[in-house]
Amino acid sequence: MTELLKINGLCVEFPTRRGTVQAAKDVSLTVSPGEVVGLVGESGAGKSTIGNAIIDLLEAPGRVSGGSILFQGEELRGRSDAEMRMVRGNRIGMIFQDPQTSLNPLMTIGAQLVETIQKTNDLGITQAEARAVELLEQVGITEARARLLAYPHQFSGGMRQRVVIALALAGDPDLIIADEPTTALDVSIQAQILDLIKDLCRKRKLGVIIVTHDIGVIANIADRVVVMYRGDVVETGDVAQILGAPQHEYTKSLIAAVPRADRKMHRFSSVDYIEGGHQPSAKIDVQTHWLGQGAKHENTGPAIQVEGLNLSFVLQKALLKRNRKMLRAVNDVSFQLEPGETFGLVGESGSGKSTVARLIAGLYRPDAGTVRVLGQDVTTAPHSREARRARRAVQMIFQDPYSSLNARMRVMDIVAEPIRFYKLTSSEAETRKIVGDLLDHVGLGAGAALRYPHEFSGGQRQRISIARALASRPRILICDEPTSALDVSVQATILNLLKDLQSELGLTMLFISHDLPVVRQMCDKIAVMRNGQICEIAPTEQLFESPQHAYSRHLLDLMPKMDLLARAPA
Amino acid sequence: MLFFILKRLAQSVLVMAVVSAVSFSLFNFVGDPVNNMVGQDATREQRIEIRQQLGLDDPILTQYSRFIGNMVQGDFGLSYRIKRPVDELIFERLPATLELVFVSAIIALVVGIGLGIYTGIRRHAWASRAVLSVSLIGVSLPTFIIGIALIYIFAVHLRWLPSSGRSGTVDLGGWKTSLLSIDGWRAIILPAITLSLFQLTLILRLVRAEMLEVMQTDFIKFARARGLSERAIHFRHALRNTLVPVITIIGLNIGGLIAFSVITETVFQWPGTGLMFIQAVDFVDVPIMAAYLVFVALLFVIINLVVDILYFVVDPRIRLGN
């Protein structure tokens, strides 16, 4: 079989002030026509670097320092920019991660398509438009001709990714490099986009490189897999072999860290190979520590009780009420959390799950309905002393560890802020001692207190967020997609930490996620949300084994099939 | 969109009401106008007669509503000093100022955007660094120093251009323009450059910063990955995305040009409204001061309204809603 792309001993380096970073070391891989090659690894593995190096679009100051890139038998290294421009788009197409930002917001998609088509083919404007319509139809966009005049913001995320794919196909390339093409999309959309890519690959005999961190995507689409770890290819092979019988230690731990959807485990498999797998063991004895001795609430009822919650957002303003466009983000939602339980809220983006969390935390005020925290109504008089005291028992952990910490504050002050605000200690020395203990307990070590957030990785930052949430001695934690921005191995350690804290402190948890396997491992009870409404509330095992609502079944069907994965015997 | 414009119009009316109140209060707080109008030897009767003529004995609210009523009809009363209607005086002087502002705005826009793009794209080029260093002078030196320096170099030393005044005007049905004769252009070029320098620097640096930011975005990377030419990427994709913040600043600054023109007009003895205003201040000619205040505020309000409407034109996300 003739190879479409043959990379041999590719090295990419990034010279920096502190010395040269080797982003890719001696990487070799091949892609044949009609084949999907998955390039998998965690952040910093160098997988995107490979894709960028192939089309010579490495970010400055990166450069290829060795090896060869043979595309259809021709060497791509050392070509001039003008020559590479004839390769890009015409022979190699590229798809990027975030369809929200890949398209020029100020140009109609028709103009962007026509521009690209005219660059790659010698066509007049009407012919180019006809070709644009054809391309949009091929990627599954209906009423394509009318859509040419639409702007990117008028499309949903999944539709935009289809437009991006159409643009990548405009020059009729032989190789597509897709860099995390579905990471920013909902599961149902993800499945459609992957099917589309697979279909195009088969029909057009395209070679496809899928760069991803998601084992689920690999399992669904790839024929062969290349596993990368810190710039090295650690393992290459057939998808069934890599996922089913991994040879390298890293591949094994990576696969073990993927949360299981098929049954509930006590803990997430901890991964030793990966950074952050080891934890400083300076734990504190919670029972005797300050942390475990918060004000006791004499409440025996539900920890959180939500009744008939409603909230609408104004989408389009108008003078007349009937002309206003409203979005019912939360539509008559009721549920309750028993003390000590973990309650999962699942749904796709736009289902209103984060809005519910924000309503409970008091970040939004509902249009109607009540929220009771530990028996205390916090919605009707949100600023009363009782409501504030009750709300102190609720703390939030947000999704994005990069934007949820103030970059200009030291970790000490970030974690101490709730303690100082609520005056929970008698002296500054005590506060500092407690912050140190908290940081020890979440696995960062007290030494972290003097540093700034940017010095930490995503997972470590999420530990800081957890320490900050614990600092007001809460009874209830709201975790809004706490691990969706993290690599799987780091995700496993963070989720284990949350589980440990919950059992030590007897916390009640509201756990919001779109990731069903994670939810199955974490939660006792689950509510499925769609369009602002709750479809179904059921105990976890019952929901996964015999979902009642049609939408729950639909969501479960969309979970990536992981049958190929090597698993410890059940 | 209609809703948005109506809202902005309502805000504009509020702004104008406040400004008119301030300018009206000038009449009452900047000395007794009668003293300014009559000679030292005027009799008591003469003074009382003038007071009655001007309606200065009426209650303050009556005076204010009369002021507003007249103002809306374009009547700002008589200049104390020249004894002619203020609106006539302003409209005589207006072409000079508007032409000066127009020419300097064009210079600031064309040169500012052009150099901004260049320095944004060729970030490390020697010329970019030079432009950026020189441009610092534009913001750090006061306008009158630049004006005097230009006069010294081009008028006194090289003798290429006239040092002051406005000449070579052509009368176009009441609008005296200096843009139709060589003499007119020779006269306008130095003041226009002086007035534009500050704005030019601001626009240059803003366009450069926006350009650098846009060039980092994913859609530019995606455009590269499709093999589009650098020209298409820079001008079709990047430039338009830098325009929204640039339009905001330009809108505010055209108002600023008119306000700054007071200094430039003084340095170059340019017979525009700014010079007239300074002379009015010297003589405490309150009607002119009040009218100028209202007039400048009105210009600011109109320009900002136009800017808000321009957003709709440039950005489909605002135009079409989400």
Side-chain angles (χ1 to χ4, degrees):
Chain A
M1 187 161 57
T2 54
E3 283 117 2
L4 182 64
L5 179 77
K6 187 175 168 65
I7 296 179
N8 216 337
L10 182 72
C11 296
V12 178
E13 57 182 32
F14 283 81
T16 67
R17 249 177 294 174
R18 291 186 190 164
T20 303
V21 179
Q22 299 286 336
K25 290 171 255 178
D26 195 20
V27 170
S28 301
L29 63 90
T30 58
V31 184
S32 304
E35 182 187 48
V36 180
V37 174
L39 198 55
V40 69
E42 300 192 68
S43 30
K47 53 196 194 303
S48 292
T49 306
I50 303 290
N52 291 339
I54 295 170
I55 56 169
D56 193 25
L57 281 181
L58 284 170
E59 311 242 332
R63 60 191 180 91
V64 176
S65 56
S68 71
I69 304 167
L70 286 176
F71 178 67
Q72 295 174 328
E74 298 166 35
E75 177 61 59
L76 291 186
R77 273 195 69 195
R79 297 265 186 121
S80 74
D81 204 48
E83 287 172 320
M84 278 314 288
R85 217 174 287 140
M86 295 315 294
V87 175
R88 293 180 208 136
N90 295 38
R91 295 167 63 192
I92 303 179
M94 189 107 188
I95 301 168
F96 288 105
Q97 171 172 354
D98 192 350
Q100 311 284 349
T101 57
S102 305
L103 298 170
N104 185 341
L106 304 185
M107 276 171 84
T108 62
I109 62 149
Q112 300 188 47
L113 274 164
V114 165
E115 172 193 51
T116 311
I117 290 165
Q118 287 191 318
K119 179 257 160 185
T120 48
N121 308 277
D122 191 18
L123 290 179
I125 183 89
T126 27
Q127 288 162 301
E129 267 176 13
R131 173 96 179 103
V133 171
E134 205 178 295
L135 278 168
L136 286 180
E137 278 164 357
Q138 278 174 19
V139 296
I141 289 177
T142 51
E143 295 171 49
R145 182 155 290 280
R147 297 290 200 134
L148 286 184
L149 293 176
Y151 287 91
H153 74 271
Q154 294 170 307
F155 289 80
S156 65
M159 293 301 259
R160 259 183 255 193
Q161 197 63 310
R162 286 172 192 271
V163 174
V164 168
I165 294 173
L167 278 165
L169 291 175
D172 207 5
D174 300 308
L175 176 70
I176 294 270
I177 301 169
D179 193 346
E180 304 269 11
T182 57
T183 308
L185 303 173
D186 273 330
V187 268
S188 57
I189 315 293
Q190 166 171 330
Q192 293 169 14
I193 296 291
L194 289 180
D195 283 346
L196 174 66
I197 293 175
K198 209 165 167 177
D199 192 49
L200 290 167
C201 166
R202 300 281 181 270
K203 276 192 191 145
R204 294 172 163 239
K205 282 280 163 206
L206 289 174
V208 176
I209 298 178
I210 291 247
V211 176
T212 184
H213 70 283
D214 189 338
I215 299 286
V217 169
I218 293 292
N220 266 9
I221 189 172
D223 301 311
R224 281 190 314 116
V225 184
V226 177
V227 185
M228 288 191 72
Y229 177 65
R230 294 203 174 168
D232 285 311
V233 170
V234 294
E235 199 168 352
T236 305
D238 191 61
V239 66
Q241 179 259 308
I242 294 281
L243 298 187
Q247 301 301 307
H248 194 275
E249 281 308 309
Y250 174 72
T251 319
K252 284 182 192 165
S253 39
L254 187 67
I255 286 169
V258 177
R260 303 189 65 151
D262 53 342
R263 67 195 182 91
K264 193 166 172 120
M265 310 285 285
H266 179 56
R267 286 173 69 79
F268 292 87
S269 337
S270 60
V271 181
D272 291 340
Y273 197 89
I274 300 161
E275 214 179 350
H278 294 287
Q279 309 241 333
S281 49
K283 295 262 175 185
I284 47 176
D285 181 8
V286 168
Q287 296 312 316
T288 57
H289 190 264
W290 172 89
L291 190 58
Q293 297 173 342
K296 293 281 176 269
H297 291 266
E298 317 72 35
N299 172 58
T300 47
I304 291 181
Q305 199 171 9
V306 172
E307 266 174 25
L309 216 50
N310 275 289
L311 181 66
S312 298
F313 293 119
V314 180
L315 286 184
Q316 199 180 337
K317 290 183 191 169
L319 278 179
L320 297 175
K321 207 166 185 180
R322 67 190 145 91
N323 287 349
R324 279 181 211 157
K325 283 192 189 151
M326 306 289 276
L327 172 75
R328 292 197 83 173
V330 177
N331 190 352
D332 206 17
V333 165
S334 306
F335 59 86
Q336 61 183 42
L337 272 69
E338 301 304 329
E341 88 176 341
T342 303
F343 187 91
L345 211 49
V346 302
E348 300 187 82
S349 50
S351 62
K353 50 192 197 306
S354 289
T355 313
V356 169
R358 280 154 189 262
L359 282 165
I360 293 172
L363 298 175
Y364 293 146
R365 290 194 65 181
D367 296 337
T370 53
V371 175
R372 285 173 189 282
V373 174
L374 302 168
Q376 171 67 44
D377 182 347
V378 295
T379 38
T380 32
H383 300 297
S384 69
R385 178 183 296 198
E386 293 77 21
R388 275 200 248 182
R389 189 161 159 271
R391 206 177 289 118
R392 194 176 93 198
V394 183
Q395 290 298 320
M396 258 187 110
I397 295 164
F398 293 92
Q399 171 174 3
D400 184 357
Y402 293 90
S403 62
S404 59
L405 299 173
N406 187 335
R408 304 206 191 285
M409 278 166 80
R410 286 180 198 274
V411 172
M412 161 64 74
D413 297 313
I414 290 173
V415 178
E417 198 172 29
I419 303 177
R420 290 174 185 154
F421 180 78
Y422 288 116
K423 300 193 175 61
L424 299 179
T425 52
S426 49
S427 70
E428 179 63 19
E430 194 190 352
T431 306
R432 285 172 185 270
K433 168 86 175 62
I434 289 165
V435 171
D437 289 348
L438 276 170
L439 291 172
D440 267 337
H441 201 66
V442 298
L444 281 174
L450 295 177
R451 293 156 70 189
Y452 285 94
H454 72 263
E455 299 173 60
F456 297 91
S457 69
Q460 289 172 321
R461 283 180 210 217
Q462 215 54 323
R463 288 175 193 268
I464 299 172
S465 297
I466 293 171
R468 175 177 63 181
L470 292 177
S472 70
R473 288 190 289 200
R475 308 298 309 142
I476 300 157
L477 277 188
I478 300 176
C479 307
D480 190 355
E481 303 264 13
T483 58
S484 56
L486 306 176
D487 279 330
V488 276
S489 58
V490 181
Q491 164 172 293
T493 61
I494 295 288
L495 292 177
N496 279 338
L497 173 67
L498 283 172
K499 278 194 156 188
D500 291 344
L501 287 169
Q502 182 179 29
S503 56
E504 287 165 3
L505 295 165
L507 297 173
T508 309
M509 251 203 284
L510 179 62
F511 191 91
I512 295 160
S513 181
H514 67 282
D515 189 333
L516 290 167
V518 167
V519 170
R520 183 169 201 176
Q521 303 303 319
M522 289 298 290
C523 301
D524 304 311
K525 211 190 271 176
I526 294 175
V528 180
M529 280 193 78
R530 184 193 197 183
N531 298 337
Q533 286 176 308
I534 289 186
C535 299
E536 181 174 1
I537 301 181
T540 303
E541 288 311 296
Q542 193 183 318
L543 182 85
F544 275 83
E545 296 306 327
S546 57
Q548 300 300 307
H549 195 279
Y551 181 67
S552 312
R553 282 197 290 276
H554 174 68
L555 272 187
L556 289 175
D557 282 343
L558 289 170
M559 278 195 299
K561 302 289 171 282
M562 300 283 198
D563 310 339
L564 289 169
L565 263 62
R567 291 293 196 193
Chain B
M1 167 149 181
L2 186 68
F3 178 69
F4 176 80
I5 291 176
L6 283 177
K7 206 168 85 181
R8 280 296 138 92
L9 274 177
Q11 286 170 352
S12 308
V13 169
L14 191 70
V15 169
M16 290 313 295
V18 172
V19 170
S20 69
V22 171
S23 83
F24 171 70
S25 66
L26 279 180
F27 285 93
N28 294 288
F29 296 122
V30 191
D32 183 357
V34 178
N35 271 339
N36 295 317
M37 294 179 78
V38 296
Q40 293 235 323
D41 50 354
T43 62
R44 215 178 110 84
E45 285 71 31
Q46 279 173 319
R47 285 168 187 265
I48 289 173
E49 199 192 319
I50 290 174
R51 282 196 84 80
Q52 276 167 354
Q53 266 178 15
L54 293 175
L56 294 178
D57 291 329
D58 294 337
I60 197 103
L61 278 178
T62 318
Q63 287 190 47
Y64 180 53
S65 53
R66 190 165 55 220
F67 174 76
I68 296 268
N70 290 341
M71 189 185 81
V72 171
Q73 296 165 32
D75 177 6
F76 291 92
L78 289 182
S79 157
Y80 293 162
R81 187 169 66 96
I82 316 176
K83 308 280 187 317
R84 282 177 57 201
V86 171
D87 48 309
E88 243 180 70
L89 288 173
I90 286 189
F91 283 108
E92 261 174 37
R93 296 292 197 107
L94 201 54
T97 294
L98 286 186
E99 282 180 3
L100 179 63
V101 167
F102 175 75
V103 173
S104 65
I106 297 287
I107 294 175
L109 283 178
V110 172
V111 182
I113 293 181
L115 287 180
I117 295 170
Y118 178 78
T119 52
I121 295 170
R122 302 255 176 278
R123 194 147 58 110
H124 300 292
W126 176 85
S128 293
R129 290 166 203 253
V131 165
L132 283 177
S133 314
V134 173
S135 76
L136 269 181
I137 297 173
V139 275
S140 51
L141 282 185
T143 313
F144 65 89
I145 299 235
I146 292 173
I148 289 168
L150 288 179
I151 290 175
Y152 177 75
I153 297 169
F154 292 99
V156 178
H157 199 71
L158 297 172
R159 293 176 179 280
W160 289 352
L161 298 165
S163 66
S164 64
R166 187 177 187 229
S167 53
T169 52
V170 178
D171 199 326
L172 292 177
W175 179 288
K176 282 189 180 156
T177 177
S178 53
L179 301 182
L180 290 177
S181 69
I182 293 184
D183 267 355
W185 275 101
R186 277 164 48 90
I188 205 169
I189 199 106
L190 282 187
I193 289 176
T194 308
L195 188 55
S196 70
L197 265 187
F198 185 82
Q199 316 297 335
L200 190 157
T201 313
L202 218 63
I203 292 171
L204 187 160
R205 292 189 162 248
L206 186 71
V207 170
R208 175 178 177 271
E210 287 295 322
M211 202 73 185
L212 288 179
E213 202 177 308
V214 171
M215 292 307 286
Q216 298 296 317
T217 55
D218 286 354
F219 66 82
I220 294 295
K221 200 174 167 199
F222 186 44
R224 285 230 165 88
R226 279 179 281 156
L228 298 183
S229 67
E230 290 294 303
R231 209 187 141 82
I233 288 170
H234 291 150
F235 293 96
R236 207 172 311 153
H237 291 270
L239 181 59
R240 210 170 146 205
N241 277 284
T242 65
L243 283 186
V244 170
V246 173
I247 287 175
T248 315
I249 294 295
I250 290 172
L252 289 172
N253 280 351
I254 289 184
L257 281 177
I258 294 168
F260 280 125
S261 76
V262 173
I263 298 169
T264 308
E265 285 181 15
T266 311
V267 171
F268 288 92
Q269 287 298 300
W270 188 258
T273 48
L275 190 60
M276 179 179 76
F277 175 70
I278 287 289
Q279 287 161 350
V281 170
D282 277 348
F283 290 94
V284 201
D285 197 344
V286 177
I288 290 187
M289 287 156 66
Y292 187 76
L293 196 63
V294 172
F295 167 71
V296 169
L298 186 67
L299 274 177
F300 262 89
V301 163
I302 291 173
I303 288 166
N304 279 300
L305 196 64
V306 171
V307 164
D308 284 336
I309 294 168
L310 270 184
Y311 289 157
F312 281 92
V313 179
V314 171
D315 196 334
R317 285 167 295 187
I318 306 176
R319 190 181 340 137
L320 302 170
N322 277 302

